[in-house]
Amino acid sequence: LEEEQLLDRRYRLQEVPGGRVALPVLEEKLSRLRLPQEMPCGLVQIQDPVPSRAARRQTPAQKLRDELQQLLGESWSEELERDVPRAWQRHGDLVLLSEDSFRAPPWEKLGSVLWETVASALGARRLARRGRVLPDGMRSPSVTLLLGQDGWVEHVDNGIRYTFDVTKCMFSPGNITEKLRVASLPCSGEVLVDLYAGIGYFTLPYLVHAAAAFVHACEWNSHAVEALRRNLVLNGVQDRCRVHHGDSRQVSSADRLRPPRPHAAAPSPPLSFQLELRDVADRVNLGLIPSSEEGWPAACRVLKKSTGGVLHIHHNVETPPTPTPPQTLVERVSPEGAGSGGEVQHPMEDGGKETQGARIRPEWQRWAEATAARIMGLLAELHGQPWRASVLHLEAVKSYAPHVHHLVLDLECRPVLP
């Protein structure tokens, strides 16, 4: 049993010239190897050892753990093993580790050797470690680059190319279901205002797949703006988008700005600005969590005064754990909120696996109804005439935390004609 613990399980027994057999032994355990004296043996270094069947079946997490265990030798402990990540994000040749990875003091002594070993085991050239999101109002990441010269990466979702600096910009793979959904909306000929554009999470699906005629993309984080401009060019849609750099909550009373003509160069607004957009949008995206409520007045102002349009309102809604009978959200359904049979497509429970047939929770319904009433009030106050707001669809994107769900409300807003 002791001899078996000395073997390197990554490799198999291997024949070498002279009719001999090479036994794979862990280098740090050689001093403990005890063989019968009548058995002649010598130390042989093999350049390309044959991997064992177990090694060929190893997951990346197992390979990482084994290589770190070999690196540390006798210093390996259960405490250190708990620090080894079992999951990570991969962006091209860069791997982004979780914030609780390699925090125990012994890891720090290894320095660059640790990061080179981790990168090699995971098949990466660059490494970064995620920290807590900074409380700066822009959800800026706290990411440390551990190996490599820069944090710029490229990610592909649904045929759309996103490039961004992981040390300066957030990227949420958990929103892929919502990005796929908006990509399928009928937006041909429409003007969209994206009040929280980021690096283009939703701006790009609207332009590339949903065929929006033009998008006004508003963003106040300068790092995200840089990535957004690059992404528009990467996907060949820069002529159908104008980037407004600043706080979209500050809406000017200036006259309406029409979209610039195709190929016209739109000037870059200064960092401190008031959004000079009014009466321009057929559709407004408010993709900010935990709440986009501060942007609701701006959304109402940019919506077309004569015809109205659709608001896509993101919000985190808390659902108490007490069991209550599910209810169905009863509202008029437009074609874009209907399935092939004209039925409401209800959101999924717990950000889970099924969308069809899932039921609306009472807390979600109450939030949707309260939001519709608030928006109607804002529109009536703004335009001096009554408006109606109808729930087209309520989508559960994911569970953001225990009993907290990231929801998107599709709200159709139309002026009431005299």
Side-chain angles (χ1 to χ4, degrees):
L1 178 61
E2 182 180 356
E3 278 71 17
E4 288 182 358
Q5 292 174 347
L6 307 180
L7 298 181
D8 190 336
R9 295 296 182 180
R10 296 174 300 170
Y11 307 107
R12 53 180 293 185
L13 295 176
Q14 190 170 341
E15 290 187 8
V16 294
R20 297 175 297 168
V21 175
L23 185 70
V25 179
L26 293 168
E27 186 175 356
E28 68 274 11
K29 304 291 181 68
L30 276 173
S31 60
R32 295 171 52 186
L33 184 63
R34 298 290 185 267
L35 293 175
Q37 293 184 356
E38 62 271 16
M39 183 181 295
C41 64
L43 187 62
V44 179
Q45 290 187 338
I46 299 176
Q47 293 295 328
D48 297 305
V50 179
S52 65
R53 291 183 179 178
R56 290 195 294 268
R57 292 194 301 266
Q58 273 187 323
T59 65
Q62 291 170 331
K63 182 179 180 182
L64 173 60
R65 182 197 61 205
D66 289 350
E67 297 218 2
L68 291 172
Q69 186 174 3
Q70 185 179 11
L71 175 66
L72 288 168
E74 300 289 346
S75 300
W76 184 255
S77 66
E78 291 185 3
E79 179 189 5
L80 293 178
E81 185 166 0
R82 286 194 294 269
D83 259 8
V84 177
R86 290 169 174 77
W88 47 83
Q89 288 183 18
R90 183 180 297 274
H91 301 288
D93 68 350
L94 185 145
V95 164
L96 181 60
L97 303 172
S98 59
E99 63 180 279
D100 57 350
S101 302
F102 305 112
R103 291 297 188 183
W107 294 117
E108 299 177 1
K109 300 177 182 178
L110 296 175
S112 61
V113 175
L114 169 63
W115 308 128
E116 290 167 0
T117 302
V118 173
S120 174
L122 300 182
R125 292 186 177 182
R126 296 178 293 164
L127 279 180
R129 182 169 54 198
R130 189 170 53 238
R132 296 187 181 277
V133 176
L134 299 177
D136 58 359
M138 294 184 283
R139 291 185 57 77
S140 299
S142 174
V143 174
T144 303
L145 194 65
L146 305 170
L147 184 67
Q149 299 302 313
D150 70 81
W152 280 94
V153 299
E154 184 170 313
H155 188 90
V156 179
D157 264 354
N158 194 25
I160 297 173
R161 298 168 65 189
Y162 297 88
T163 185
F164 58 98
D165 187 338
V166 295
T167 67
K168 296 182 173 68
C169 298
M170 293 285 291
F171 188 87
S172 178
N175 290 340
I176 180 61
T177 56
E178 180 63 8
K179 285 184 280 189
L180 290 172
R181 189 179 76 91
V182 302
S184 68
L185 294 178
C187 301
S188 179
E190 292 186 351
V191 173
L192 172 88
V193 173
D194 190 350
L195 286 179
Y196 308 100
I199 67 171
Y201 304 108
F202 300 112
T203 294
L204 291 168
Y206 277 116
L207 287 168
V208 175
H209 294 308
F214 196 87
V215 174
H216 291 278
C218 309
E219 176 56 43
W220 65 359
N221 184 330
S222 58
H223 302 299
V225 166
E226 181 184 0
L228 173 60
R229 294 188 189 280
R230 293 191 187 194
N231 291 329
L232 292 169
V233 174
L234 266 180
N235 292 278
V237 292
Q238 66 272 24
D239 292 335
R240 290 160 47 215
C241 182
R242 179 175 179 178
V243 178
H244 300 265
H245 183 187
D247 188 347
S248 61
R249 296 170 299 183
Q250 304 300 317
V251 182
S252 168
S253 60
D255 291 336
R256 164 183 169 180
L257 290 182
R258 297 183 181 276
R261 295 189 303 274
H263 308 294
S268 300
L271 179 60
S272 178
F273 82 121
Q274 287 186 315
L275 181 62
E276 296 178 344
L277 288 175
R278 293 175 62 92
D279 187 20
V280 67
D282 301 290
R283 194 179 294 268
V284 183
N285 195 72
L286 297 105
L288 181 68
I289 55 174
S291 175
S292 61
E293 189 170 355
E294 288 188 345
W296 294 358
C300 291
R301 190 175 293 273
V302 301
L303 208 58
K304 285 185 175 178
K305 180 178 179 179
S306 59
T307 58
V310 177
L311 306 182
H312 300 281
I313 303 172
H314 292 237
H315 196 82
N316 281 352
V317 177
E318 186 172 355
T319 307
T322 53
T324 54
Q327 300 178 14
T328 301
L329 188 66
V330 181
E331 288 286 352
R332 189 176 64 79
V333 180
S334 76
E336 73 177 47
S340 57
E343 297 179 354
V344 176
Q345 294 181 348
H346 298 299
M348 48 193 166
E349 299 273 350
D350 296 315
K353 299 176 182 178
E354 295 185 4
T355 303
Q356 295 288 348
R359 307 292 287 178
I360 302 299
R361 299 186 177 190
E363 294 81 10
W364 302 357
Q365 180 172 348
R366 287 194 289 270
W367 170 76
E369 292 171 349
T371 300
R374 172 77 185 284
I375 294 295
M376 281 193 294
L378 289 172
L379 287 165
E381 181 181 356
L382 176 65
H383 299 296
Q385 68 178 91
W387 282 60
R388 59 182 172 85
S390 304
V391 175
L392 299 179
H393 183 72
L394 189 57
E395 180 78 10
V397 180
K398 63 179 181 292
S399 295
Y400 190 77
H403 313 302
V404 178
H405 292 81
H406 174 183
L407 303 183
V408 182
L409 169 62
D410 297 351
L411 193 66
E412 184 182 41
C413 304
R414 304 293 179 192
V416 176
L417 301 178

